[in-house]
Amino acid sequence: MVANTTIIHTAYTLSLALAILSVLHLYWAFGGTWGFAAALGREQIEATGILRVAAGAVAIALAVAAAGVLGRVGIWGRSLPWPLFSWGMWALVSALFLATLPNLTGRTWLERLLFAPIALVLGVLALTIARSTRP
């Protein structure tokens, strides 16, 4: 059985947002430059070397998190151990709230007025799911 409808909609919303962010990081990992400098709070930056590898690692982590959110509410993964989804969801909550902090103190208006609120909202969505009852 899956969780209640509100939690399901919240999970789909959060999972979609994480998937979109994952695709953006994949774009950067494969050499894309649109938005890359703004995301790092710098005027100009080249998407090469270690930054591309890091973007790829973040893309994978975001994709896993998107799938984990859906697993937490019982949409898939019922044969997997429950603590995997439960602990994973709390790790995601922590990561999203921690991601808010550097953006709040960022050098650019984009970090402070766009990235920080997005991370905060995603963190609240994740917290809502993490606190929900087991499906």
Side-chain angles (χ1 to χ4, degrees):
M1 180 174 178
V2 294
N4 74 46
T5 307
T6 303
I7 294 298
I8 295 295
H9 291 301
T10 303
Y12 278 130
T13 301
L14 178 58
S15 187
L16 178 62
L18 294 171
I20 290 169
L21 290 171
S22 177
V23 169
L24 178 61
H25 281 80
L26 274 177
Y27 165 75
W28 291 334
F30 286 103
T33 57
W34 176 83
F36 196 71
L40 293 177
R42 299 187 180 139
E43 294 294 322
Q44 288 280 8
I45 192 161
E46 221 175 297
T48 59
I50 192 72
L51 292 176
R52 287 178 61 182
V53 172
V58 171
I60 291 168
L62 287 166
V64 168
V69 167
L70 297 179
R72 170 60 179 82
V73 296
I75 293 173
W76 76 276
R78 290 187 187 107
S79 62
L80 295 173
W82 171 251
L84 177 72
F85 295 117
S86 181
W87 285 97
M89 198 68 221
W90 283 107
L92 179 62
V93 169
S94 300
L96 288 169
F97 283 139
L98 286 174
T100 303
L101 297 176
N103 286 306
L104 280 174
T105 60
R107 290 182 284 158
T108 67
W109 68 270
L110 198 59
E111 291 172 289
R112 292 186 307 271
L113 299 178
L114 182 65
F115 298 153
I118 288 173
L120 183 61
V121 167
L122 294 179
V124 169
L125 293 177
L127 180 63
T128 302
I129 295 166
R131 294 194 57 189
S132 69
T133 59
R134 183 177 178 171

